[in-house]
Amino acid sequence: MPSYRAQLNIMGLRPGNAPEAVMDTAVGSLAAAHHVDANQLDVVAGVPRITVRYTVEEDGNPDARAIASAAAMRAAVEKVGLTEKLVVLRRTRGRWITLRR
């Protein structure tokens, strides 16, 4: 099964939401359809960025499913936070290759 990363910058929280809600929502959204391997929060140039690593079953076009799932994750996170710049990467021969910026 191919491995993917969805990276999403978090620009703020919507009123009434705790910071943990962002990662919980992102992981929950992807876990509904895929196996989530790991998640992390980094601060890059002063901007919080979440990264969720997940696998997609090989069905003939896993890249399209991975991109669609990442877009759905962003839509779910938008309900609790403000986002910017979704990047989807695929693990290929030991390297992370960008599929969508």
Side-chain angles (χ1 to χ4, degrees):
M1 285 192 290
S3 182
Y4 296 89
R5 281 185 179 171
Q7 297 178 326
L8 185 61
N9 290 350
I10 307 301
M11 306 310 291
L13 292 172
R14 297 211 182 266
N17 291 290
E20 308 82 46
V22 172
M23 188 65 79
D24 292 345
T25 300
V27 170
S29 173
L30 285 170
H34 308 293
H35 175 75
V36 173
D37 298 318
N39 64 77
Q40 67 186 47
L41 169 67
D42 298 298
V43 179
V44 180
V47 177
R49 175 189 298 161
I50 61 169
T51 301
V52 183
R53 184 174 173 176
Y54 59 105
T55 55
V56 175
E57 291 202 23
E58 185 66 62
D59 67 350
N61 197 357
D63 290 355
R65 288 186 54 216
I67 291 168
S69 294
M73 177 202 74
R74 182 180 190 174
V77 171
E78 275 288 332
K79 295 176 183 173
V80 296
L82 305 172
T83 69
E84 174 187 82
K85 192 179 173 189
L86 172 65
V87 177
V88 181
L89 304 111
R90 179 183 174 148
R91 187 82 171 170
T92 303
R93 297 183 186 164
R95 295 181 50 211
W96 289 102
I97 306 299
T98 303
L99 296 179
R100 176 177 184 248
R101 256 182 209 261

